[in-house]
Every structure is written in C-alpha cells, then in structure tokens.
Amino acid sequence: MKFFIDTANLNDIQEAYDLGVLDGVTTNPSLMAKEGISGQENVMAHYKAICDIVDDNVSAEVIATDFDGMIKEGTALAKIDDKIVVKVPMIKDGVKAIKYFTNQGIRTNCTLVFSAGQALLAAKAGASYVSPFIGRLDDISYDGLQLIDQIVTIYQNYGFTTEVLAASIRHTMHLIQCSEIGADVVTCPLNVITSLLNHPLTDSGLAKFLADHAKSNG
C-alpha cells in the first residue's frame, strides 16, 4: 500500500518524508488556501516546492470545470515536474479530460468519486488513480469502506490498472481497514500516519526496558 499525505504544508510533507514511508502527496484548492497560497504564480511555485521534497506522485488539481479549461490548466501543471499527477473532478468534461491526458502520457487522479459507477467511468477513461472519499460518505451515513470494496472488486474483475486511492481518511482504523480491503493507496493527514506508531504496550515495554537498564548500570 502507498501512503500519500493530504496537505499543502511543506513542514508536514517533509516530516512524513523523513519518516521514510511517504509515497506521494495530494492537494486541492482548499488545502492551498489553508496555507495562504494564492495567485497562479505562487501556486505553481508551491507545487514545485512539494515536488522537490518527495520522490513522486504529487496530485495537483485543476480549477476549471470545462474541458478546454481543464486541458489548459492540466497541461501547465504537468510541465512543472514529472512527479505531477493532474487531479481532475468526476464530471462529464473531467472524464473527457482524463482520456485526453491519458493519450498524452500525463497521469491523472480522478477526484470527488462517491460511487462505483463513477469509478468505473474513470478507469475506462484511463485514470491513473481514482479517489473515493470515505469520510464524506460516512458523514451522510453511507459506508465508505463498502465503496472501496466494490471498486477494488470491479477493477480486479476486469484487470483495470487504475489504482484505488482511498481519500478523506479520518483515522487509523480507516487506514487499516482500507489495507485489509486492498486499496492501493491511502491519502490522509500526517497525524493519521504517525498515529500508527502508537500502542500503550510499546510505551510501557520501553519504559520497563529503560528502567531495568538504569538499575543495572547505575
């Protein structure tokens, strides 16, 4: 399973990278705004700064919702760095744009996916990644993990190469359950990844080892 961090914060990205388990980054306009990044030139420069930290897989989202606009923006984003994956919304023109980018050899991440049918369309168009939003489905009393399971099964049935990127991960159990189902990627905040480190028996065991060492070594 690949671990992506869902943020535009360079410090969090660097910390996740230094941990040695980071495979990529996902961003969106809301995350850029949260970091105070505005203006086309600043946004593009920030994407480049992210690419300079990680080894690969930086999802950069288009703002346009029409085909021509998405092609223009996505082409410009792809030129920033070979690590860029153009993030496209699951709408009709978005599916068309995914097909165009695929034919141009540009990787894509189809975002805002909330049904198996949408995921099937994205895969048919050649998306590199499809991003079902687990947490947002849970918020409306629909089992987001069930959707991940459906998509994984469909892709396996037909040999699609599109990777299932579980998004809107809220906590460590989401992450663990996605790994059990067989999602290819999870994207989440840094604290979800670092929370995997925690277990009370690890803490108590280490404390005892250190205490015993201190007793026997003065």
Side-chain angles (χ1 to χ4, degrees):
M1 170 178 274
K2 296 177 186 174
F3 281 11
F4 290 0
I5 185 172
D6 192 35
T7 186
N9 184 283
L10 297 181
N11 290 332
D12 282 356
I13 294 168
Q14 186 67 60
E15 183 177 346
Y17 183 80
D18 290 344
L19 187 60
V21 299
L22 187 66
D23 299 293
V25 175
T26 55
T27 64
N28 59 47
S30 297
L31 292 172
M32 282 289 189
K34 184 178 179 181
E35 298 304 315
I37 310 299
S38 61
Q40 183 67 10
E41 186 175 336
N42 290 332
V43 169
M44 301 292 265
H46 200 75
Y47 280 132
K48 179 58 178 172
I50 294 172
C51 289
D52 288 343
I53 296 173
V54 301
D55 295 330
D56 197 8
N57 300 306
V58 177
S59 284
E61 188 163 346
V62 298
I63 306 299
T65 55
D66 65 291
F67 177 78
D68 290 338
M70 284 188 274
I71 298 308
K72 181 180 178 181
E73 289 181 21
T75 301
L77 288 169
K79 289 179 180 177
I80 295 172
D81 196 287
D82 290 341
K83 300 172 186 176
I84 292 290
V85 178
V86 178
K87 199 173 182 183
V88 179
M90 170 37 72
I91 55 177
K92 187 175 182 179
D93 275 6
V95 174
K96 292 180 181 179
I98 289 168
K99 185 64 175 180
Y100 173 87
F101 288 131
T102 299
N103 289 338
Q104 297 298 313
I106 295 172
R107 292 178 295 169
T108 54
N109 175 359
C110 186
T111 190
L112 293 170
V113 169
F114 293 97
S115 75
Q118 290 177 326
L120 184 56
L121 286 173
K124 289 282 289 180
S128 307
Y129 299 97
V130 62
S131 292
F133 281 41
I134 297 176
R136 295 194 193 186
L137 283 169
D138 287 354
D139 290 344
I140 60 168
S141 301
Y142 184 89
D143 187 354
L145 289 164
Q146 181 181 346
L147 176 60
I148 299 296
D149 195 19
Q150 278 186 301
I151 298 171
V152 168
T153 298
I154 291 169
Y155 284 7
Q156 288 176 345
N157 284 347
Y158 298 101
F160 287 119
T161 58
T162 302
E163 295 188 50
V164 181
L165 195 168
S168 189
I169 299 288
R170 300 282 174 80
H171 45 71
T172 54
M173 283 309 300
H174 268 163
L175 191 157
I176 296 299
Q177 289 167 323
C178 282
S179 70
E180 290 176 331
I181 292 168
D184 301 288
V185 191
V186 290
T187 187
C188 55
L190 176 62
N191 71 291
V192 175
I193 295 174
T194 55
S195 290
L196 295 172
L197 293 165
N198 301 330
H199 196 286
L201 292 179
T202 301
D203 297 338
S204 61
L206 181 59
K208 186 174 189 312
F209 291 157
L210 294 175
D212 290 344
H213 174 77
K215 286 179 184 177
S216 60
N217 289 273

